[in-house]
């Protein structure tokens, strides 16, 4: 598969594994998993045929490692980013002192007031590195980098989870833990 095909399939998989499995008439279990066989046959029925090897290539080559297989590679899911209600079953983890969140400038005033909300997704997404956060913020406008005092939040009772691809998840970030740029 060439780069373009990989990207297009990855986008389509994000759609069905995070948001709209009904697009190809599959359903996800409560932890977001679907049987690989069921996924492949649904893709075939909807003219998006993939071989098992191609699916593995998409998972392996994905720039953000968005998808994962279970250990026996019989099931697959998105590692984070769902708008569907899912319980990904990650254990709470101790975050680093600071995590980052990039957001477009026009959301900053509302974030100052309300903190970071998870909006359409199942959790607020935070990153350990500035570049990733800036490129997330850049998707919708001029990006602003917010620093989150995650260690302090955690010490004061807020839970954090980390995905296999090192995206940090939490339910909400109150404004008092956010350091805004000058
Ligand atoms: C903002 C992509 C106003 C928040 C990315 C964000 C990421 C508020 C937007 C991953 C707010 C939600 C997640 C408030 C939060 N007032 N705006 N109180 N609280 N927001 O897409 O973090 O490529 O749901 O700052 O790369 O941007 O899909 O979240 O701008 O890693 O794998 O509301 O999605 O990954 O937007 O992105 P999103 P996000 P994938």
């Amino acid at each position: 598969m060439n780069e373009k095909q990989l990207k297009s399939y990855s986008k389509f998989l994000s759609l069905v594994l995070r948001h709209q499995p009904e697009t190809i008439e599959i359903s996800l279990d409560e932890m977001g998993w679907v049987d690989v066989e069921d996924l492949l046959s649904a893709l075939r029925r909807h003219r998006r045929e993939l071989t098992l090897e191609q699916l593995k290539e998409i998972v392996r080559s994905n720039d953000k490692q968005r998808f994962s297989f279970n250990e026996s590679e019989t099931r697959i899911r998105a590692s984070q980013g769902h708008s569907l209600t899912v319980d990904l079953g990650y254990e709470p983890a101790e975050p680093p002192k600071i995590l980052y969140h990039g957001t477009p400038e026009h959301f900053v005033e509302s974030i100052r007031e309300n903190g970071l909300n998870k909006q359409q997704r199942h959790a607020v997404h935070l990153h350990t590195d500035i570049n990733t956060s800036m490129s997330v913020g850049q998707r919708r406008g001029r990006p602003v980098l917010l620093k989150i005092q995650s260690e302090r939040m955690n010490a004061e009772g807020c839970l954090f989870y980390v995905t296999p691809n090192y995206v940090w998840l939490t339910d909400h970030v109150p404004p008092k833990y956010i350091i805004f740029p000058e």
Side-chain angles (χ1 to χ4, degrees), residues 14 18-19 62-64 66 80-81 101-104 106-127 132-133 135-137 139-140 146 165 167 172-173:
S14 285
R18 289 170 165 182
H19 309 296
N62 190 261
D63 57 350
K64 287 193 183 170
R66 291 179 177 87
Q80 79 285 320
H101 180 92
T103 193
H106 54 272
F107 287 162
V108 170
E109 273 324 298
S110 163
I111 295 173
R112 269 187 211 280
E113 235 172 81
N114 307 301
L116 282 173
N117 295 326
K118 54 191 174 183
Q119 314 292 53
Q120 263 48 264
R121 303 201 194 238
H122 61 111
V124 175
H125 288 214
L126 305 169
H127 293 95
T132 308
S133 300
S135 62
V136 172
R139 292 175 304 155
R140 300 190 180 102
L146 308 179
N165 52 332
V167 177
H172 172 69
V173 182

Side-chain angles (χ1 to χ4, degrees), residues 153-165:
M153 263 180 83
N154 190 229
E156 294 175 8
C158 303
L159 293 179
F160 285 81
Y161 306 86
V162 61
T163 70
N165 52 332

Side-chain angles (χ1 to χ4, degrees), residues 82-112:
H82 304 71
S83 57
L84 292 168
T85 306
V86 280
D87 173 5
L88 296 172
Y90 297 133
E91 292 295 326
E94 269 182 37
K97 195 171 165 58
I98 295 286
L99 284 167
Y100 300 98
H101 180 92
T103 193
E105 208 170 27
H106 54 272
F107 287 162
V108 170
E109 273 324 298
S110 163
I111 295 173
R112 269 187 211 280

Side-chain angles (χ1 to χ4, degrees), residues 35 47-48 51 53 64 68 70 80 117 155 161 176:
D35 276 348
R47 298 170 187 278
R48 289 267 187 170
T51 64
E53 277 318 306
K64 287 193 183 170
S68 43
N70 64 342
Q80 79 285 320
N117 295 326
Y161 306 86
K176 65 176 174 182

